[in-house]
Amino acid sequence: MRKSIFLAGLALIALLAGCSDDDLNNEGGVRNPVQTGDEILFGSKLSGDADVIESGALTRTVYGDRTETGVPVYWDENGDSIAIFCLQASQPADHLVNYQVLPEMDVNGKPTATAASVTKDETEKAGLQWGDPNEEHRFYAFYPASAVKGSEEENETGKITANIPVTQQVQEWRKGKFESSDKELDGRTCYFGLPNMDYAYMYAYNAVTPSQVQDGSLINLHFKNLVTVLDIIIQGPETGSVVVTNVNVDAIGDNKDIILTGDFTCNIRAAKNEETGVDEITATCDPVESNEVRNRISIPCYAKNQEDDVSKGFITLNAGELLNVKAYIIPQDANNTVTQRTLRITVATLNGAANVRTLDQADIIPHKINRVLLPKLKPGGTNYWLSNLDPNIYLSELSLPGSKMSFSTTGNDGTEKFQTQSLETQFMDGVRAFVVQTEANTTYDRTYNWSTGYTYNVTDATVNEKYTNESLETILGQLNTLLNVAKSNNKMNEFAFVQITYDAASYTGDNPGGGAYRYWIEGIEYELNQLIQNDNPYNIYTDQITPDTKLGDVGGHIVLKVNFNDGQTGMGQYIDADAKIPALFSTWTKGMDDVALYWGSPNSNQTGRPEMHWYYSEATHIGNSNEAADLATKKNQISTVFQESVDKYINGTGHNYWFMNDVGGCYSEGSPTIPKLTEDLNNYAVELLQDRTQNASLGIVLLNYADKQADSGALYQSDWLIQTIIDNNFKFALRKASDTTNNTTNSDASYISGGSVIK
């Protein structure tokens, strides 16, 4: 059954067919009362009490037009399932049965609020059956039934475990007219993101004694809202258009560790009001503990298919248009500290800075629909996305968009380039990982010792990018300048990852022997250690990186990694195992591999250091049997690395795997080789990742044309892929370390200010 329905606040009432005077016997009791073993009968009707509106639909549970008293709710014509638990029932053994509600249809063939029938989901099995006729039967009901994993009775409490996910996928996109009493909004074109009703939890309770129930009567269940919901309305820009990719909700500031999503228990409690004598029902929700990031909600704004007049892809919001999505939050009672929160709504855009608005805790009412109206989007700005993440996320579990051959590297024909934009443009467009192909010239002198013979010492080295001939020092200086600008804007979590690779090497002075591999690796050792002298002016990260290193640790720094060739018998043999080079090291081969990752030295004889892995794919020339024989082989490598990141996340908690996925390269034959492969692979990766729902990092993803410029990356969906990778950091409950700092970076960002909340 499809659960893609437009969410509004609601209250569900299951009506009881009451007893008439004719049902009573002469002793004041009930004539023909129900008997032990009889099946219990239920009936239902819906009504609404929320503050949002949307046109009806024909094929799913819908919400009618807004009235002064609320919004009417109609059952799904294909059937909605509710779970009902009664410990006193004689059958079944677990006292829990799912029931399906089918609505009556009106004269126009549309479903109504009244149920035509409430029947067991599994008609061949027993429903709830009456037990001891003189024992009060307590009924606990929950919607939807699919959320109920089990139930237990604690005195007069029905306890149910459920889940609200971090990623709350839109089930369907529709384009229509927004209806509102606010004349500024009424009649505007709106993109409605229809949410998954499986998270619109409701609960109900009733207690009756069988001896007081007439045979054939229906049991009354009054359903109440459980979840807290933000009904978010985003306004298009003043002029032009903005492409919206994701909407995030975060608990921030002093409340950044507040839990909004994940597993939680719901205790349904009933107690008699001493004044009225009437049972009053409440539901208390308690999050289940975990070490995941649960202070975030993420709503992707990507239409996976052409839906009516909504085009496939990210939602483009023009001037005057609206976008409407819903965010579900684990509800808390007013006396629970979890309600003392401040929420930030971030609207991620394709070609600019995120638009941010902070809500006060007083704006949010638990168990209700809270309408949040954001001001008009502002296009442009720098995408400082890392600074909107929790600084305690483990570094290895981030997803970083990266540029393959980050400079003017050319493909097979000597003219096509893997990148057309500057390092600064790539950084401004959200790229945070870079690859520098280098040549080294290393200067040696030698000394003689009668017992050991000649010793060759490095006295100088120059390391340059292969194609531009820029020095590594200049390149790191450019990145450091960009990071300093970010810090001046209070964006403290931004960092850059730079992978240094081998291309060629030579020597000056005495010849130490060993060939180009030795000249290069010893030149890299000398150069990197020189760059951190004099108070580390380039902000290279120098503390040891371990599986426990966090985003907040490396913020404002450049993290270096060196690819070395042929292991211990090649480059590795020339570096001491206890060297303290400020970089990560792993061996490199073409294709796909899972290799050791070391800090400080490439020597594979290292001992006593935390175990880390580098799982990667790298195949530049497609059609080359040594790298990837064809496009299918390359795609298989890409999908395998993405899947491995999921499997290793699920099956391990050590966060000691780093991933790198190569989505760039060129065809070995034909023309154009780089643009054609970029188009083929970017589209493939976007589709793959937009369909992905598993909770895991993507690692570093390298791509051609790693920018969002209209005449470059945007021609090949690089802009879509970059933003998809960025958004992956916000979509999942990634693991994090316990908070040992007071880092509240960007808790008060203000690209958007003002706005109002309508309750």
Side-chain angles (χ1 to χ4, degrees):
M1 179 183 67
R2 295 182 69 190
K3 283 296 183 183
S4 53
I5 55 184
F6 193 93
L7 177 63
L10 51 87
L12 168 63
I13 302 175
L15 294 182
L16 166 67
C19 300
S20 67
D21 290 342
D22 291 339
D23 294 328
L24 302 179
N25 61 25
N26 292 333
E27 288 75 35
V30 175
R31 179 183 301 162
N32 301 322
V34 296
Q35 302 296 312
T36 300
D38 287 350
E39 287 214 359
I40 304 169
L41 305 179
F42 300 93
S44 66
K45 185 176 180 180
L46 295 170
S47 65
D49 63 356
D51 194 18
V52 295
I53 57 174
E54 166 62 357
S55 300
L58 300 179
T59 59
R60 58 191 60 82
T61 305
V62 296
Y63 300 83
D65 291 339
R66 178 183 178 183
T67 67
E68 292 183 358
T69 58
V71 178
V73 185
Y74 305 110
W75 285 113
D76 185 338
E77 67 179 37
N78 296 312
D80 277 314
S81 288
I82 58 176
I84 305 177
F85 171 78
C86 178
L87 183 66
Q88 295 75 33
S90 60
Q91 291 290 334
D94 63 358
H95 311 288
L96 180 69
V97 175
N98 292 347
Y99 289 84
Q100 187 174 80
V101 181
L102 292 174
E104 291 181 352
M105 309 302 287
D106 65 16
V107 294
N108 297 315
K110 295 183 178 181
T112 69
T114 303
S117 65
V118 179
T119 59
K120 295 170 292 185
D121 274 3
E122 299 178 272
T123 56
E124 72 280 4
K125 295 184 178 180
L128 288 172
Q129 298 178 8
W130 291 108
D132 185 334
N134 296 310
E135 181 181 8
E136 183 181 63
H137 284 45
R138 295 183 291 275
F139 297 95
Y140 302 92
F142 203 81
Y143 171 87
S146 59
V148 180
K149 308 305 179 186
S151 184
E152 61 187 47
E153 181 91 355
E154 297 178 353
N155 297 323
E156 297 186 359
T157 297
K159 186 173 183 179
I160 292 169
T161 299
N163 176 276
I164 289 179
V166 173
T167 302
Q168 299 178 8
Q169 293 278 1
V170 168
Q171 300 296 290
E172 183 180 339
W173 288 95
R174 290 191 196 158
K175 189 176 181 180
K177 296 296 183 182
F178 194 83
E179 300 178 40
S180 174
S181 58
D182 185 341
K183 299 304 180 183
E184 290 296 317
L185 302 177
D186 188 51
R188 287 199 198 179
T189 297
C190 183
Y191 290 91
F192 296 102
L194 309 186
N196 190 335
M197 189 62 172
D198 283 349
Y199 310 123
Y201 297 125
M202 299 179 290
Y203 65 97
Y205 170 83
N206 198 1
V208 297
T209 302
S211 61
Q212 302 300 312
V213 178
Q214 171 70 23
D215 185 22
S217 294
L218 307 181
I219 297 304
N220 174 30
L221 291 172
H222 184 179
F223 276 76
K224 293 186 176 183
N225 295 330
L226 179 64
V227 294
T228 302
V229 182
L230 299 183
D231 177 45
I232 302 168
I233 303 170
I234 300 165
Q235 299 188 70
E238 190 73 38
T239 60
S241 62
V242 171
V243 179
V244 178
T245 67
N246 222 70
V247 177
N248 301 313
V249 179
D250 298 272
I252 57 168
D254 293 337
N255 306 287
K256 61 182 179 299
D257 291 326
I258 295 303
I259 293 174
L260 305 180
T261 57
D263 288 337
F264 67 98
T265 59
C266 174
N267 273 338
I268 304 173
R269 302 177 183 273
K272 289 191 182 297
N273 185 304
E274 294 182 358
E275 294 182 0
T276 64
V278 177
D279 279 343
E280 294 183 349
I281 180 174
T282 60
T284 302
C285 295
D286 294 309
V288 177
E289 291 186 5
S290 80
N291 66 333
E292 294 180 328
V293 176
R294 296 173 62 188
N295 65 342
R296 161 165 295 125
I297 296 165
S298 176
I299 305 170
C301 295
Y302 183 88
K304 296 182 179 179
N305 302 291
Q306 176 74 30
E307 299 176 10
D308 297 325
D309 53 355
V310 179
S311 299
K312 180 179 179 179
F314 294 114
I315 302 299
T316 299
L317 206 55
N318 295 309
E321 294 181 337
L322 305 175
L323 188 152
N324 182 223
V325 293
K326 307 295 184 294
Y328 300 86
I329 299 173
I330 294 177
Q332 300 293 336
D333 294 333
N335 62 351
N336 192 304
T337 56
V338 173
T339 59
Q340 308 303 305
R341 56 171 158 252
T342 298
L343 297 181
R344 179 184 66 202
I345 299 177
T346 302
V347 182
T349 64
L350 188 64
N351 291 305
N355 287 248
V356 180
R357 190 243 170 137
T358 299
L359 307 179
D360 294 329
Q361 67 182 52
D363 291 331
I364 306 302
I365 302 177
H367 306 284
K368 295 293 184 181
I369 301 296
N370 297 267
R371 173 171 285 176
V372 179
L373 176 62
L374 299 184
K376 295 176 182 178
L377 293 176
K378 295 182 179 180
T382 302
N383 194 0
Y384 290 124
W385 60 273
L386 278 167
S387 295
N388 286 329
L389 289 172
D390 190 312
N392 291 299
I393 293 174
Y394 292 108
L395 186 62
S396 62
E397 297 186 355
L398 292 171
S399 300
L400 301 178
S403 64
K404 183 179 178 69
M405 314 295 194
S406 299
F407 295 85
S408 300
T409 311
T410 57
N412 288 339
D413 67 356
T415 60
E416 296 172 0
K417 296 179 180 180
F418 292 96
Q419 306 299 331
T420 63
Q421 301 298 311
S422 68
L423 196 69
E424 180 179 5
T425 298
Q426 294 176 46
F427 184 92
M428 293 298 201
D429 284 344
V431 175
R432 291 296 180 269
F434 306 90
V435 178
V436 186
Q437 283 189 294
T438 60
E439 296 178 324
N441 181 274
T442 306
T443 302
Y444 294 89
D445 68 7
R446 65 178 182 175
T447 59
Y448 181 79
N449 182 285
W450 68 270
S451 60
T452 59
Y454 285 106
T455 300
Y456 292 87
N457 304 301
V458 178
T459 60
D460 196 8
T462 58
V463 179
N464 298 326
E465 202 281 326
K466 164 72 173 178
Y467 291 89
T468 64
N469 204 37
E470 280 188 292
S471 69
L472 181 61
E473 181 178 5
T474 298
I475 292 168
L476 298 182
Q478 293 172 354
L479 286 171
N480 186 48
T481 297
L482 294 168
L483 294 173
N484 286 334
V485 171
K487 285 187 284 188
S488 70
N489 285 283
N490 197 34
K491 308 300 180 182
M492 308 305 292
N493 283 349
E494 303 304 315
F495 79 98
F497 180 94
V498 176
Q499 180 165 277
I500 301 169
T501 64
Y502 166 83
D503 191 274
S506 59
Y507 77 94
T508 301
D510 294 312
N511 182 356
Y517 277 3
R518 177 176 185 174
Y519 314 149
W520 186 82
I521 195 68
E522 291 188 339
I524 291 293
E525 177 184 27
Y526 181 89
E527 176 76 349
L528 297 187
N529 282 324
Q530 287 298 306
L531 290 174
I532 62 174
Q533 301 303 312
N534 302 317
D535 297 326
N536 192 12
Y538 300 103
N539 281 312
I540 295 170
Y541 190 73
T542 57
D543 291 341
Q544 181 177 349
I545 287 181
T546 72
D548 294 324
T549 300
K550 307 182 295 294
L551 169 61
D553 296 330
V554 303
H557 291 84
I558 299 171
V559 175
L560 300 178
K561 177 184 176 291
V562 178
N563 279 359
F564 67 99
N565 296 11
D566 293 346
Q568 188 178 5
T569 60
M571 293 180 176
Q573 65 181 308
Y574 299 107
I575 303 297
D576 290 339
D578 59 355
K580 292 180 171 49
I581 307 170
L584 292 160
F585 289 84
S586 73
T587 56
W588 173 84
T589 56
K590 298 174 182 177
M592 189 166 55
D593 210 345
D594 178 352
V595 298
L597 181 66
Y598 302 117
W599 174 261
S601 171
N603 194 302
S604 58
N605 285 333
Q606 292 184 86
T607 58
R609 304 193 186 193
E611 179 185 0
M612 295 190 292
H613 295 264
W614 181 257
Y615 195 108
Y616 71 97
S617 74
E618 187 168 6
T620 298
H621 300 94
I622 312 310
N624 182 325
S625 59
N626 291 326
E627 299 183 52
D630 50 31
L631 183 62
T633 301
K634 175 79 168 179
K635 286 183 175 180
N636 181 65
Q637 292 176 356
I638 293 169
S639 63
T640 298
V641 174
F642 283 151
Q643 187 57 49
E644 282 292 329
S645 71
V646 173
D647 295 342
K648 286 180 168 49
Y649 186 91
I650 293 173
N651 297 321
T653 59
H655 32 270
N656 61 345
Y657 262 90
W658 289 61
F659 294 90
M660 189 192 82
N661 211 335
D662 182 10
V663 186
C666 61
Y667 285 112
S668 293
E669 297 179 354
S671 181
T673 65
I674 296 178
K676 182 64 170 67
L677 185 67
T678 306
E679 183 176 354
D680 291 341
L681 290 181
N682 282 2
N683 181 67
Y684 170 74
V686 168
E687 292 296 310
L688 197 66
L689 296 179
Q690 288 294 339
D691 287 338
R692 172 169 150 148
T693 59
Q694 297 96 332
N695 194 43
S697 164
L698 302 177
I700 295 164
V701 184
L702 303 178
L703 59 151
N704 302 335
Y705 307 127
D707 63 80
K708 297 181 177 182
Q709 302 305 302
D711 59 349
S712 181
L715 295 174
Y716 311 102
Q717 287 194 336
S718 292
D719 52 346
W720 286 23
L721 182 52
I722 289 170
Q723 197 61 40
T724 297
I725 297 164
I726 291 172
D727 290 342
N728 190 80
N729 294 283
F730 300 89
K731 289 182 179 180
F732 302 109
L734 297 176
R735 289 184 288 255
K736 66 173 184 175
S738 59
D739 188 1
T740 57
T741 70
N742 293 318
N743 190 334
T744 56
T745 302
N746 299 325
S747 63
D748 201 14
S750 57
Y751 290 102
I752 279 185
S753 60
S756 61
V757 174
I758 307 171
K759 304 182 182 66

